[in-house]
């Protein structure tokens, strides 16, 4: 819940240079702005991917304040985040609700970035693997291998989001490899080899390079460090 329209205008003025820098490094970049900024960003997106932060699975109905997939499709976006830890924490979003949203996005020919991760309490109790197992198994339930072409997984340990306490590259790699193995068990080696797995959690310009060196980390889902064009540019530069 950041960036009013004036701040968004300042950001989009730098999109051409951000896209040029990303193209030189052969990396894909994107943003997930607030609903109120979607139209403005989409008109000026260049080669950027545009994602909604959240959608409701139902197409329409008496759900005051919620946003449907047909509504965000009007902005020609690429997809939506699903299951972000803050949605799980503050809106009690469950794995099965995430599953409904993922299926609805795919049915609308949109992609999703499915977020999974454990809390500090779960991490310290050595329950991280069990939590991730349930999130992956339930969230991706009944999807096909073809469906999985529309899915990106983002591992975000809740204890490292917005705390400045980032998971070590070793922890991040171990968990991303675990996720890839789970995908292999569910959908086969081809799917697990091709799926993109991101790390998120206090990713900054000064640590993104180390994360990106790890074998099973294909990208980053960045919070605060992505809000301004200057730090976004530094993220690209340091990959």
């Amino acid at each position: 819940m950041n960036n009013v329209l004036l701040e968004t205008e300042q950001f989009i003025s730098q999109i051409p240079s951000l896209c040029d820098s990303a193209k030189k490094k052969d990396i894909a970049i994107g943003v997930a702005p607030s609903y109120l900024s979607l139209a403005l960003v989409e008109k000026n997106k260049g080669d950027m991917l545009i994602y909604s932060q959240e959608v409701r699975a139902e197409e329409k109905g008496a759900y005051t304040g919620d946003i449907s997939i047909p509504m965000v499709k009007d902005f020609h976006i690429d997809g939506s985040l699903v299951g972000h830890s803050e949605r799980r924490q503050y809106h009690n979003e469950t794995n099965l609700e995430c599953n409904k949203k993922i299926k609805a996005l795919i049915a609308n020919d949109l992609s999703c970035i499915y977020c999974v991760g454990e809390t500090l309490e779960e991490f310290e109790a050595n329950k991280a693997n069990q939590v991730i197992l349930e999130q992956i198994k339930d969230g991706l339930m009944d999807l096909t291998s073809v469906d999985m072409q529309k899915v990106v997984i983002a591992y975000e340990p809740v204890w490292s989001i917005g705390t400045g306490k980032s998971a070590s590259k070793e922890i991040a790699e171990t968990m991303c490899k675990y996720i890839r193995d789970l995908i292999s068990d569910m959908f086969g080696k081809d799917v697990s080899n091709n799926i993109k797995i991101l790390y998120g959690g206090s990713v900054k310009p000064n640590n993104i390079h180390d994360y990106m060196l790890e074998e099973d980390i294909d990208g980053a889902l960045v919070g605060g460090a992505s809000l301004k064009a200057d730090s976004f540019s530094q993220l690209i530069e340091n990959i």
Side-chain angles (χ1 to χ4, degrees):
M1 195 169 65
N2 290 287
N3 286 10
V4 297
L5 288 179
L6 177 60
E7 293 167 310
T8 301
E9 288 173 354
Q10 294 167 346
F11 182 92
I12 64 176
S13 68
Q14 301 301 314
I15 284 180
S17 64
L18 295 176
C19 289
D20 286 346
S21 298
K23 189 174 183 179
K24 289 174 184 175
K25 295 207 169 190
D26 194 29
I27 56 178
I29 57 172
V31 290
S34 72
Y35 295 121
L36 297 178
S37 292
L38 274 177
L40 186 58
V41 176
E42 195 277 329
K43 288 178 182 176
N44 299 274
K45 69 177 184 177
D47 294 328
M48 271 194 170
L49 298 168
I50 309 294
Y51 279 71
S52 170
Q53 294 181 7
E54 166 66 8
V55 289
R56 190 174 182 96
E58 289 79 8
E59 194 163 293
K60 61 175 66 175
Y63 304 106
T64 301
D66 286 346
I67 305 292
S68 71
I69 294 173
M71 288 174 179
V72 294
K73 280 187 76 174
D74 279 347
F75 300 112
H76 309 291
I77 66 171
D78 297 282
S80 178
L81 304 182
V82 175
H84 191 282
S85 64
E86 289 153 10
R87 299 295 306 181
R88 294 178 186 268
Q89 179 179 356
Y90 302 129
H91 299 272
N92 300 313
E93 194 163 289
T94 67
N95 297 330
L96 295 181
E97 287 173 324
C98 291
N99 181 252
K100 287 173 59 178
K101 293 179 184 184
I102 292 170
K103 289 174 180 174
L105 284 163
I106 292 170
N108 278 273
D109 198 31
L110 292 175
S111 300
C112 81
I113 298 176
Y114 180 44
C115 304
V116 300
E118 77 283 2
T119 65
L120 179 60
E121 183 180 11
E122 291 162 342
F123 176 73
E124 291 180 340
N126 295 315
K127 294 181 179 178
N129 283 24
Q130 182 61 34
V131 170
I132 299 299
L133 172 63
E134 292 174 1
Q135 290 174 338
I136 292 291
K137 184 177 69 173
D138 294 344
L140 304 180
M141 181 175 55
D142 298 329
L143 267 62
T144 68
S145 296
V146 174
D147 291 337
M148 289 299 292
Q149 295 175 14
K150 291 285 190 180
V151 177
V152 173
I153 307 292
Y155 168 61
E156 290 194 304
V158 181
W159 48 271
S160 71
I161 299 173
T163 64
K165 181 181 178 181
S166 54
S168 68
K169 61 181 182 178
E170 290 82 11
I171 291 174
E173 165 62 17
T174 297
M175 295 307 295
C176 288
K177 183 181 187 308
Y178 177 63
I179 291 168
R180 199 176 299 280
D181 290 342
L182 291 175
I183 298 297
S184 179
D185 292 342
M186 291 177 68
F187 301 101
K189 278 284 186 186
D190 286 347
V191 174
S192 70
N193 287 339
N194 287 307
I195 194 167
K196 291 181 172 60
I197 301 176
L198 317 180
Y199 169 72
S202 296
V203 175
K204 298 178 175 63
N206 65 359
N207 64 21
I208 192 169
H209 176 76
D210 289 340
Y211 287 120
M212 294 306 100
L213 288 176
E214 297 298 324
E215 182 177 356
D216 290 288
I217 301 176
D218 303 310
L221 187 60
V222 185
S226 70
L227 292 176
K228 295 187 181 299
D230 286 350
S231 55
F232 202 114
S233 177
Q234 291 170 20
L235 288 164
I236 297 170
E237 188 64 33
N238 290 348
I239 293 177

